Amino acid sequence: MDLALGERRLEKVDWLPMGIHILDAMSREGFEEVIGVHDRKSGLRALIAIHDTSAGPAFGGIRRWSYLSERAALMDCLRLARAMTYKCVLAGIPGGGAKAVVLDDPALDIEGAYRHLGKMVEGMNGRFYTGPDVGTDGTALDWLSAETSYVTRTGPEGPGDLGGATAAGAFAGIRAGLRHIDGEVDWSARKIVIQGLGEVGAKLASRLIEVGATVVGTDIDTDHGEAVARRLGFEFVEPSTEIQIECDVFAPCALGGILHDVTIERLRTRIVAGAANNVLAKNHHGDMLHGRGVLYLPDFVLNAGALIRGAFFHLENRIEPLEGIETRIESAVDEILTCSQSDGIPPFRVAISIAESRLAQRRGDA
Ligand code: NAD
């Protein structure tokens, strides 16, 4: 052993970046475990956060992203894992939330990294089930599943069409929102604007057209978006014009953080309801929408379809049908909107408080 180096390591621990207080954050937010993963061979640097296993295993995909800092990666991991717990609790899934984030790097041996993570997940013996997320595609899932069975795959070996399951949940949420405001849903008189025509947005558009709604959509990949619109027969608009179109429902199905001071001013919709994660730039933007009379349905309730599919596939060895997903999400939205109306509290705050109180019951804290 290099004694000098050993001594230096013992004396100088100030290589740890200041300002990351993992244990504080964990106890404040009720996390069970946060694991740092480093693999010298592949260059993998990853974090796994297990938020809750009080009712069953924790579910959460792997996000591979070029984070600006380790702190940003940690915060994303914790935030996403906690949101997965909320999704599970509100959708009645006997399991909780987790997340893994891989700090992407041009030098990363991607296959080696996923294989290493797969071994880690296998070693957790079913306490953590993982799956797709941004940066983790079908090939990555194949590498993972070569090392562990605790992974949700997207192909024929998995629980079927995950994007379709998510779109079904978003559709059910939109239906519940419209019924709440109008008493009944007359699809032929309703206009829905979809931002993002990828896996989920295109399937949501297809479902809405099927029931007779008017759909308008956009995508920053205009070739792809125009092709989807042509195939399904709806109007495609230039990206960034969609936010100010007068409509009944604005459905974000692209990226998060799109609702903030500027965009909320421009919105001309009665309802915001879509699948994109974390659409509010900050929580107070949900209050702002509420104050302006726009019904904002929380993304973590509406986009639980794929999670429901994956969880029941692993826990009960069955594929939850789309109708089952719609029923679960629609009844969750109904409950949230009923409480929101009677208490005058924005739906996203009601959803968080229902999730927190059910979680406390699960954990025996209530
Ligand atoms: P995707 O990558 O297949 O599609 C996203 C689409 O949005 C792409 O076509 C992209 O070009 C477009 N886009 C990006 N920025 C845009 C912008 N500013 N304006 C217009 N279009 C833009 O992703 P997806 O699987 O369809 O997921 C959509 C959203 O739903 C994401 O936020 C995702 O995290 C969330 N979500 C997806 C699932 C699922 O089952 N796929 C589950 C839960 C949540």
Side-chain angles (χ1 to χ4, degrees):
M1 178 188 175
D2 179 344
L3 246 179
L5 181 66
E7 276 168 18
R8 201 172 73 230
R9 284 219 174 117
L10 278 176
E11 281 166 15
K12 286 188 79 88
V13 287
D14 58 357
W15 48 270
L16 268 176
M18 299 296 285
I20 297 183
H21 301 289
I22 298 182
L23 293 171
D24 281 353
M26 285 175 69
S27 52
R28 202 174 46 241
E29 305 291 345
F31 277 82
E32 293 179 10
E33 203 174 346
V34 176
I35 303 166
V37 186
H38 173 238
D39 175 35
R40 226 167 3 94
K41 225 167 142 197
S42 63
L44 170 69
R45 297 189 328 137
L47 295 160
I48 300 173
I50 308 290
H51 183 247
D52 182 71
T53 58
S54 58
F59 294 91
I62 298 174
R63 178 164 293 191
R64 181 164 57 88
W65 190 254
S66 301
Y67 289 99
L68 287 178
S69 66
E70 197 173 314
R71 181 186 167 79
L74 175 67
M75 297 319 287
D76 204 31
C77 190
L78 297 181
R79 193 173 49 95
L80 291 164
R82 193 186 48 188
M84 290 299 284
T85 297
Y86 288 170
K87 286 190 203 191
C88 284
V89 170
L90 291 166
I93 294 168
K99 201 79 193 180
V101 299
V102 172
L103 286 80
D104 206 5
D105 186 302
L108 186 69
D109 160 12
I110 298 176
E111 177 173 355
Y114 276 99
R115 283 183 177 273
H116 187 86
L117 262 183
K119 289 188 187 109
M120 288 282 306
V121 173
E122 183 63 19
M124 292 168 82
N125 289 320
R127 181 169 155 75
F128 171 41
Y129 283 81
T130 195
D133 196 273
V134 177
T136 300
D137 58 9
T139 309
L141 294 171
D142 288 344
W143 291 326
L144 285 163
S145 62
E147 308 295 339
T148 181
S149 53
Y150 303 115
V151 59
T152 301
R153 297 176 78 178
T154 49
E157 304 86 353
D161 176 8
L162 295 176
T166 303
F171 173 78
I174 290 172
R175 186 168 58 197
L178 285 169
R179 209 183 37 246
H180 177 78
I181 293 186
D182 298 335
E184 59 180 27
V185 187
D186 177 4
W187 287 113
S188 65
R190 297 294 154 248
K191 182 171 179 176
I192 289 95
V193 173
I194 303 179
Q195 180 188 59
L197 299 168
E199 183 60 21
V200 178
K203 285 173 177 157
L204 176 62
S206 164
R207 187 74 211 277
L208 288 164
I209 285 166
E210 211 176 275
V211 293
T214 299
V215 172
V216 174
T218 191
D219 198 294
I220 45 164
D221 182 345
T222 49
D223 288 346
H224 165 76
E226 277 171 348
V228 171
R230 230 182 354 261
R231 175 168 58 84
L232 296 174
F234 65 84
E235 184 190 354
F236 180 85
V237 293
E238 283 303 310
S240 84
T241 62
E242 75 283 6
I243 203 103
Q244 55 207 18
I245 295 175
E246 191 169 350
C247 60
D248 297 289
V249 181
F250 175 69
C253 294
L255 297 181
I258 54 127
L259 293 178
H260 45 72
D261 294 351
V262 177
T263 48
I264 290 175
E265 283 291 327
R266 292 165 62 202
L267 271 180
R268 291 166 72 206
T269 183
R270 299 192 293 152
I271 299 175
V272 174
N277 276 311
N278 304 314
V279 285
L280 300 177
K282 294 268 165 58
N283 269 354
H284 74 260
H285 293 114
D287 300 319
M288 199 169 156
L289 286 167
H290 190 69
R292 294 170 71 96
V294 177
L295 181 66
Y296 163 62
L297 300 179
D299 44 58
F300 56 87
V301 181
L302 263 60
N303 68 18
L307 169 63
I308 295 171
R309 268 268 161 100
F312 286 111
F313 181 71
H314 292 294
L315 296 175
E316 297 180 5
N317 197 22
R318 67 182 177 85
I319 294 177
E320 178 80 350
L322 294 183
E323 300 74 43
I325 289 169
E326 289 187 13
T327 306
R328 276 173 190 274
I329 291 181
E330 196 153 4
S331 58
V333 173
D334 282 341
E335 181 186 7
I336 290 162
L337 292 181
T338 305
C339 294
S340 166
Q341 192 168 27
S342 66
D343 300 347
I345 298 171
F348 83 101
R349 294 211 178 269
V350 171
I352 292 171
S353 99
I354 293 176
E356 289 286 359
S357 85
R358 289 207 185 128
L359 182 59
Q361 277 169 10
R362 282 181 171 195
R363 288 176 163 177
D365 299 341

